[in-house]
Amino acid sequence: MGTRRTSLPGVGTQYDFITEEGRHISVVVHHDGRRFLGFYASEDPDACQLEVPLSSDEATALAHLIDPAPIDAVRTDGIDLVTEHIPVGARSPYSGRLLGETAARTRTGASIVAVLRRTGAHPSPGPDFRLTTGDTLVAVGTREGVDALADIIAGG
């Protein structure tokens, strides 16, 4: 099982997911909140067999079916805010480094509000918090800011 995240300039972000059985599922998240599910042929991972467009409400309903407690987007004063989990992978340039070295808020406008680690959650981590491979950052910001932060953490 593996996932890959790809920034689509001017469009949004594509998330590719490979199941344990080798099935390829793709989710494209547009900047305006629209989502598309893509299902690919196992014998040809580039051949999309079916694409299903989802409105934001439909995507939320589907997420609730898969995970009864997903983190939803928050809308405040006409500004769309999203909350997203961002993994710190083995290839991240920030694994083993201090959170402050990411300069996340300055570079993207997104805030890291917690770090989830196997040993527990660390809410409101300070700049001296050391990130490790396997951590999951809980980030809040605009879609563009959170996407930019995910690219930075991934080393993109």
Side-chain angles (χ1 to χ4, degrees):
M1 178 176 69
T3 58
R4 184 179 67 207
R5 180 182 184 287
T6 306
S7 182
L8 303 173
V11 175
T13 304
Q14 179 172 333
Y15 300 89
D16 292 297
F17 178 81
I18 308 296
T19 68
E20 290 177 1
E21 294 179 357
R23 300 294 310 257
H24 177 184
I25 301 168
S26 177
V27 178
V28 176
V29 180
H30 288 252
H31 293 305
D32 65 6
R34 291 178 301 132
R35 279 137 168 86
F36 291 84
L37 292 176
F39 299 91
Y40 293 80
S42 55
E43 60 277 354
D44 184 359
D46 293 325
C48 186
Q49 294 179 314
L50 176 66
E51 183 177 271
V52 180
L54 298 172
S55 69
S56 184
D57 289 340
E58 291 167 335
T60 298
L62 181 60
H64 282 289
L65 291 173
I66 295 170
D67 180 358
I71 297 175
D72 291 329
V74 178
R75 187 169 180 92
T76 308
D77 297 327
I79 300 172
D80 286 321
L81 294 178
V82 297
T83 302
E84 189 169 314
H85 289 185
I86 300 172
V88 178
R91 294 184 178 176
S92 172
Y94 295 99
S95 181
R97 293 175 60 189
L98 299 177
L99 180 61
E101 293 179 64
T102 67
R105 193 172 311 133
T106 302
R107 294 169 70 185
T108 68
S111 296
I112 298 169
V113 297
V115 176
L116 307 177
R117 191 172 274 171
R118 288 186 182 137
T119 58
H122 300 273
S124 302
D128 58 341
F129 186 90
R130 189 167 301 279
L131 300 173
T132 63
T133 299
D135 284 350
T136 299
L137 309 181
V138 180
V140 175
T142 64
R143 168 53 50 206
E144 294 79 16
V146 171
D147 285 348
L149 176 58
D151 286 341
I152 289 167
I153 297 300

